[in-house]
Amino acid sequence: MNEHAFHLIALVISGVVVTICVVLHYEALRFLSHTVGVHVHKRIGVLVVMLGLLVAHVLEIIIFALGYIMMQYGAGLGHISGMDGGNLFDFIYYSSVVYTTVGFGDLLPVGAIRILTAAEGLTGLAMITWSASFTFLAMQRFWPHPLTKSDHNSKD
């Protein structure tokens, strides 16, 4: 198989992994928006949103880690240099570094697996930004606001 075929396979796998993560994130936001406020006291609504979003991000990181495992061991599309043994937790660590765009440092992708790494960095940035926007809206809705002078006047 030539190099172009490896990159095409890596692109397809990356597209599937990204799609799964975006759908998961969308469903998490949809679930949180329907659940918070209905079943949860407003005082803890923001806390529930934050914890729910953290769970979604961790699941997305794990999904990308499984994508790396599949690309490295299943399809032979490259490897992560600096990873000895490459157990699940090593791939989760690598995935979390890429997802949060912290940077590589000790680990470096080699081969077509780089396509998934690039896709994860972009996806992680988008999902974190989407979560921040959602959290802002939840805080506007649930966070206690101090009464302003105009609020006092309207109650009189």
Side-chain angles (χ1 to χ4, degrees):
M1 200 181 300
N2 66 25
E3 188 175 335
H4 294 297
F6 285 131
H7 285 95
L8 184 59
I9 294 167
L11 190 61
V12 169
I13 292 171
S14 298
V16 169
V17 170
V18 167
T19 300
I20 291 168
C21 288
V22 170
V23 169
L24 183 142
H25 204 82
Y26 171 81
E27 290 299 328
L29 292 175
R30 201 169 75 93
F31 174 79
L32 289 169
S33 68
H34 290 304
T35 303
V36 175
V38 175
H39 304 290
V40 176
H41 191 276
K42 286 188 176 201
R43 287 180 42 180
I44 61 169
V46 174
L47 180 61
V48 170
V49 166
M50 289 304 300
L51 292 173
L53 289 173
L54 285 172
V55 167
H57 288 293
V58 168
L59 290 174
E60 291 157 18
I61 287 168
I62 291 170
I63 290 167
F64 273 101
L66 294 173
Y68 292 118
I69 290 170
M70 182 173 62
M71 290 179 91
Q72 181 169 323
Y73 295 123
L77 298 174
H79 66 280
I80 309 299
S81 177
M83 191 181 293
D84 297 328
N87 63 40
L88 176 62
F89 295 106
D90 290 333
F91 283 99
I92 290 172
Y93 166 74
Y94 176 75
S95 180
S96 67
V97 168
V98 173
Y99 186 92
T100 59
T101 65
V102 171
F104 297 111
D106 56 338
L107 303 174
L108 187 68
V110 177
I113 201 168
R114 293 177 298 166
I115 293 172
L116 184 58
T117 299
E120 184 177 14
L122 181 60
T123 304
L125 179 64
M127 297 303 100
I128 291 169
T129 304
W130 197 2
S131 294
S133 298
F134 186 84
T135 303
F136 175 77
L137 294 173
M139 287 182 73
Q140 279 188 321
R141 182 174 168 197
F142 297 117
W143 201 261
H145 299 289
L147 291 176
T148 62
K149 187 175 182 179
S150 63
D151 292 333
H152 288 294
N153 292 340
S154 65
K155 296 202 185 242
D156 293 335

